[in-house]
Amino acid sequence: MRKIKTILVGQSGGPTAAINASLAGVIRTAYSHNLRILGMRNGIQGFLEGRVADLTQALNLASSPNTAEQNFRLLRKTPSSWLGSCRFKLPKPDENPSFYQRITMRMNELGIDAILYIGGNDSMDTTDKLSRYFANTGIDVPVVGIPKTIDNDLEGTDHTPGFGSAARFVATVTAELTCDGGVYDIKNVTFIEAMGREAGWLTAAGALAGDICGTAPDFVLLPEVPLDEEVLLARIKARLAEKNNVVIVVSEGVHRADGSFLFDAGSIATDTFGHLAAQSGTAAYLAQLAKARLGVKSRGIELNTLQRCASHAASKVDLDEAEALGTAGVVASLQEETGVMVGIHRLSSKPYATEIRTVPVANVANKVKLIPAIMISDDGFNVTDEALRYLRPLVAAAEEPILGDGLPRFLDAL
């Protein structure tokens, strides 16, 4: 295998509050090995269109150790994807070899020796296809996936960077809204909508509000459990007979037994991977239903993209693990591993302990990790203590922001 001198790194899919921590880990580790570090602008799509940045120059790493360290720290704490992102589905290598020949030509022009791709399910599909094409055509370039997604639905890792910070935000906001909803002596129902197309991990994190304000959500509605609206209304009515303020955390992907969503899916376009491009409206629908059928004050609150970019609520554990996985990605490529994803293996929840392992990316791509039955209550309307034990270590610690004039500082846009 040829000596690695230049690595190419990209970010893809939905951004998170921790994805740049992984990028910081990649750049810091690669720079310490005297590697040339190039970044895809807007993922593999931008790379094909010629948009590539020299990250050593962009971060001014050669100027002084203090400047380099300050920029690494700022990058770690900056939300969203600093390199930009894309949702671009690669064709199958055997169906469109000319497409991959274009990629190879661009790589040869830039002298690329290894590729690291930071992303979720769809990004691991890209990692898998690139590595398989290179292996089948004798191209000696390692391809390594680095996980991220707030949905936490990626196989091959106990949890994904980005999830812990988003979960911390959802738990905190749920507790704050619980306090707010209890102000007036009237009957009211609050629906809080969290992201999650197929898996309800982020919605489950709302149950941690009980650790914050002493009152857990009354119901947690997951996409893993089909919803009967009539049963839900009956449960809400019974709970309102006992208390004034009912709080329900609901996943955007909750659906009925026939598979239909509560919102109008027919009016929403799909992306290149076949996913609904915008999936929201569940909380608003249920709020209107509760108001009409139960005659109580009701509101639907959609957290939307706030949960994936809320760096002010970032989990220190999440940022630490994201950066460590970036480092592990570089190490894996230097050790001649390819077609793998670096992932987190949990050794213990209390005390919390993990280790990083590599797994074949083919075992990860295009698969969805759902919440296991042991973490869902028997009636399907909440989560169990097993879920809380899983979640708590991921959100427990906060990281202080870098301040400038009393306000958080982010790294300037690339």
Side-chain angles (χ1 to χ4, degrees):
M1 193 174 212
R2 59 176 169 162
K3 179 178 175 60
I4 293 176
K5 298 179 180 178
T6 301
I7 67 166
L8 177 69
V9 58
Q11 299 171 313
S12 186
T16 78
I19 190 170
N20 287 329
S22 290
L23 181 62
V26 168
I27 300 171
R28 184 193 292 272
T29 307
Y31 188 69
S32 71
H33 284 83
N34 298 312
L35 303 180
R36 179 170 170 246
I37 315 152
L38 301 181
M40 304 179 190
R41 301 295 306 272
N42 302 108
I44 191 70
Q45 184 176 16
F47 174 72
L48 282 168
E49 295 170 358
R51 299 197 301 274
V52 176
D54 185 316
L55 299 184
T56 300
Q57 295 178 5
L59 287 172
N60 205 17
L61 300 183
S63 60
S64 73
N66 288 340
T67 297
E69 183 57 33
Q70 176 70 357
N71 285 338
F72 280 132
R73 293 179 62 232
L74 285 171
L75 178 59
R76 170 185 163 102
K77 297 174 184 292
T78 298
S80 189
S81 303
W82 193 62
L83 295 177
S85 188
C86 71
R87 293 192 185 277
F88 186 79
K89 186 177 180 66
L90 270 62
K92 294 180 180 178
D94 57 350
E95 293 179 356
N96 192 349
S98 63
F99 177 87
Y100 290 86
Q101 290 165 7
R102 286 174 53 206
I103 294 178
T104 304
M105 181 180 69
R106 289 285 301 139
M107 289 169 47
N108 291 337
E109 290 171 354
L110 296 168
I112 304 300
D113 300 310
I115 298 175
L116 304 178
Y117 212 47
I118 309 171
N121 304 67
D122 301 332
S123 301
M124 294 309 115
D125 176 72
T126 296
T127 304
D128 180 43
K129 286 174 178 173
L130 284 175
S131 62
R132 283 194 287 115
Y133 175 78
F134 293 164
N136 291 338
T137 54
I139 297 173
D140 207 8
V141 174
V143 186
V144 177
I146 300 171
K148 74 86 210 169
T149 173
I150 66 168
D151 292 340
N152 197 39
D153 60 353
L154 205 59
E155 292 283 2
T157 183
D158 178 78
H159 53 278
T160 49
F163 170 68
S165 294
R168 196 170 195 275
F169 174 79
V170 171
T172 303
V173 169
T174 300
E176 292 168 341
L177 288 169
T178 298
C179 293
D180 183 88
V183 170
Y184 301 108
D185 189 22
I186 59 173
K187 301 291 184 181
N188 69 94
V189 183
T190 301
F191 293 91
I192 304 168
E193 182 178 327
M195 284 182 167
R197 282 192 303 253
E198 300 174 81
W201 295 101
L202 202 52
T203 304
L208 292 172
D211 291 356
I212 300 173
C213 68
T215 304
D218 295 275
F219 306 108
V220 176
L221 308 181
L222 308 170
E224 285 85 352
V225 182
L227 179 67
D228 184 322
E229 289 131 294
E230 296 302 322
V231 175
L232 174 63
L233 287 170
R235 296 292 296 270
I236 295 172
K237 184 177 180 179
R239 195 60 57 90
L240 284 169
E242 303 168 355
K243 57 188 295 195
N244 283 341
N245 181 30
V246 173
V247 176
I248 302 168
V249 188
V250 55
S251 169
E252 64 181 357
V254 163
H255 55 82
R256 303 178 181 91
D258 63 3
S260 63
F261 293 106
L262 306 188
F263 56 86
D264 181 13
S267 64
I268 299 174
T270 58
D271 62 22
T272 58
F273 289 89
H275 307 313
L276 293 175
Q279 191 167 324
S280 60
T282 302
Y285 167 82
L286 289 173
Q288 285 298 112
L289 185 66
K291 181 179 180 180
R293 297 283 299 276
L294 301 177
V296 296
K297 178 182 178 182
S298 183
R299 68 180 67 184
I301 298 171
E302 184 184 327
L303 302 183
N304 209 297
T305 54
L306 286 170
Q307 57 210 296
R308 74 184 191 192
C309 67
S311 62
H312 65 278
S315 157
K316 185 177 186 304
V317 170
D318 192 25
L319 296 179
D320 285 346
E321 290 180 338
E323 188 165 347
L325 285 166
T327 293
V330 175
V331 171
S333 66
L334 292 175
Q335 292 177 344
E336 306 181 3
E337 293 193 68
T338 188
V340 299
M341 184 189 79
V342 289
I344 299 167
H345 178 75
R346 188 181 301 217
L347 302 173
S348 168
S349 291
K350 195 172 183 180
Y352 180 61
T354 64
E355 66 181 18
I356 293 176
R357 299 176 180 177
T358 58
V359 296
V361 74
N363 296 346
V364 176
N366 302 307
K367 297 180 181 178
V368 177
K369 181 180 70 178
L370 302 177
I371 298 180
I374 194 174
M375 295 187 184
I376 303 174
S377 63
D378 290 339
D379 64 5
F381 280 90
N382 220 310
V383 296
T384 64
D385 288 342
E386 186 71 23
L388 299 179
R389 283 190 287 271
Y390 169 84
L391 292 165
R392 284 182 177 123
L394 311 183
V395 303
E399 180 162 332
E400 292 300 316
I402 298 173
L403 300 178
D405 296 327
L407 290 173
R409 283 282 312 281
F410 301 149
L411 188 65
D412 292 344
L414 180 60

